[in-house]
Amino acid sequence: MKKMFLLLLMIPGIVITGFSQEKDEAFKPNGKPLALIFTNFHTAFSDGESASEFENTRAYLGYEYNFSEDFYAKVVFDVGDPKDGGDHQLSAFLKNAYVQYSKDNLKAYFGMISTTQFKVAEKLWGNRYMMKSFQDEYKFNSSADLGFNIDYQFADFISADFSVINGEGYKKVQSDDLLRYGLGTTIKPVKNVLARVFVDQTGDEVKQKSLATLLAYTNGKFTLAGEYNYQSNYKMVDGQNHYGTSFYSWYKPNSSWKLFARYDDLNSDKLEGETEAWNSSKDGQLMIAGVEYAPVKGVKFTPNVRFFNPDKVDAENITYLYLSAEFKF
């Protein structure tokens, strides 16, 4: 009886404490600034000559805000060379400006959004500051654009995404009334194995179509992945096709070190009446290998070597020595 009496005395305290904890844990709107900087020093060797330079390839500056547990917004400015090394004149572009809604298995994005065609591959590659993933590097698609995207997780092993975007990317305003429609699906058939297929289409009389496929094994410490990408009628020019494969792998023994290697093979077709492929100046094989060192959180240094073997007749091989760096805060 005495024990029962003590228990009854404790119940109000337990209820009040639980209510207080629930109140303290209630969601509070919050936000924070963000900054991400990519820079490098490199030397190129070709035909007995060399050239060296420093590059500040990207600086992302922005702010993210959580309105509630379901609504999130992000604004990011991209400060970089609009020609990706073409003239080394930095310009600022609105990279992201979108609202995201998340509820259970659904995510929806609207505004200047990050596109999805190579988002999974870029995350697996994991070295965006050093070099873009295959589709981004060779201009198959833009990493951001105006439009909307819906992601839905049907089950633990399968998800799908559908997008409608302008198609010009974030560096250009809408210059026509065409839209690009994209559909992708990601499957995880067994533990640590991932497969993805993405298709999109845009155009009027001549349609540009893309196919991106990815197969990967990843377990957190080791990743091995392969991609095949094909795009027909690039920029709505009939027969202007380009395609290629990318294989990459990395091993991370601890939080400070990562070893990696990558092989790209880019090809393009000949247009009617031409003697060389339309993109012959970019076609070829690129090999990369290096080691990443992260002394503290938010700082990465990566010495790496790159070798480019061009397909173009009489073009010289090029060897690059890079020291790439990323600073995130």
Side-chain angles (χ1 to χ4, degrees), residues 139-197:
K139 313 301 181 188
F140 279 60
N141 280 303
S142 176
S143 58
D145 207 337
L146 277 168
F148 75 86
N149 180 76
I150 297 174
D151 293 346
Y152 193 81
Q153 187 79 38
F154 293 98
D156 291 340
F157 66 93
I158 184 169
S159 64
D161 50 273
F162 173 71
S163 59
V164 180
I165 58 176
N166 276 346
E168 280 92 354
Y170 66 97
K171 295 179 182 179
K172 296 181 180 179
V173 297
Q174 177 77 352
S175 59
D176 54 43
D177 59 354
L178 301 175
L179 297 174
R180 177 181 290 177
Y181 302 89
L183 178 64
T185 183
T186 303
I187 301 172
K188 299 177 181 178
V190 295
K191 184 179 179 181
N192 300 329
V193 174
L194 177 152
R196 178 168 170 80
V197 177

Side-chain angles (χ1 to χ4, degrees), residues 60-91:
Y60 296 111
L61 307 171
Y63 193 84
E64 57 184 0
Y65 190 80
N66 294 284
F67 296 99
S68 68
E69 293 180 339
D70 301 331
F71 285 94
Y72 163 88
K74 185 176 184 180
V75 176
V76 175
F77 284 90
D78 176 358
V79 182
D81 184 350
K83 296 183 179 179
D84 290 322
D87 54 18
H88 303 288
Q89 295 181 2
L90 299 182
S91 300

